[in-house]
Amino acid sequence: MKIFRKTAAAVIALTLCNTANVGILPKNTVETYPINAIAADIVKSGVTGVDKNLKWTLDSDGVLTISGEGEMLDQLYTNTSVWYDNKNIKSIVIENGVTKIGTYAFNKCTSLTSVILPDSLKYISDKAFDNCTSLKSVSLGCNDVLIG
């Protein structure tokens, strides 16, 4: 009975698709509506990394996206990161290509709740997420990551 239902559903779907394509259905039978994706505005951006090889953007939804290839810088002091004490960062997406998150990189980002890390990540430095008191979710890639 299940096979009959699935086969019947497939035949009906194909028939409807084919009749719509050859113009048997009246033109006004199907209404279409444009889809307008609303992207958040970029509110801040810059470059970082050992060789200024990483780009970052912060959008109006509080998503910080870091892209490029290579390592993020280690900060010598707690307040020297470009994102230090940034209350606007709610989530971080680090794209594939980034291999290291530096010391104190996101120190005191107290509104940060989630982080998505790429497969390319090899090392998370000590205190990279120091004082991120709202952080609840970290999604790691598939590879082993040394946390230091």
Side-chain angles (χ1 to χ4, degrees):
M1 189 68 168
K2 280 186 179 180
I3 294 173
F4 175 75
R5 283 188 203 161
K6 288 182 180 180
T7 305
V11 169
I12 291 169
L14 287 172
T15 304
L16 287 174
C17 289
N18 286 336
T19 56
N21 288 337
V22 295
I24 294 174
L25 295 175
K27 262 189 173 178
N28 296 334
T29 301
V30 178
E31 293 183 39
T32 59
Y33 298 96
I35 298 174
N36 296 324
I38 300 173
D41 295 327
I42 302 298
V43 294
K44 211 168 188 184
S45 64
V47 293
T48 189
V50 174
D51 297 315
K52 301 285 185 199
N53 48 340
L54 303 176
K55 295 178 185 176
W56 62 272
T57 59
L58 178 62
D59 70 23
S60 57
D61 289 337
V63 179
L64 175 66
T65 304
I66 301 170
S67 61
E69 293 193 10
E71 300 181 354
M72 293 173 64
L73 291 168
D74 285 321
Q75 303 301 316
L76 297 177
Y77 303 101
T78 61
N79 63 348
T80 56
S81 169
V82 67
W83 306 294
Y84 171 75
D85 198 20
N86 190 321
K87 309 280 189 265
N88 296 318
I89 299 173
K90 296 177 183 162
S91 64
I92 297 172
V93 177
I94 300 178
E95 296 183 349
N96 215 28
V98 178
T99 58
K100 175 187 169 187
I101 298 175
T103 304
Y104 294 120
F106 306 108
N107 184 34
K108 214 172 175 189
C109 292
T110 56
S111 298
L112 177 63
T113 60
S114 67
V115 178
I116 299 174
L117 303 173
D119 290 341
S120 62
L121 191 67
K122 306 262 187 256
Y123 187 73
I124 300 173
S125 297
D126 185 37
K127 302 183 188 268
F129 296 95
D130 200 34
N131 296 307
C132 294
T133 55
S134 299
L135 186 58
K136 293 180 170 77
S137 169
V138 176
S139 298
L140 291 170
C142 296
N143 294 332
D144 292 336
V145 176
L146 182 61
I147 300 175

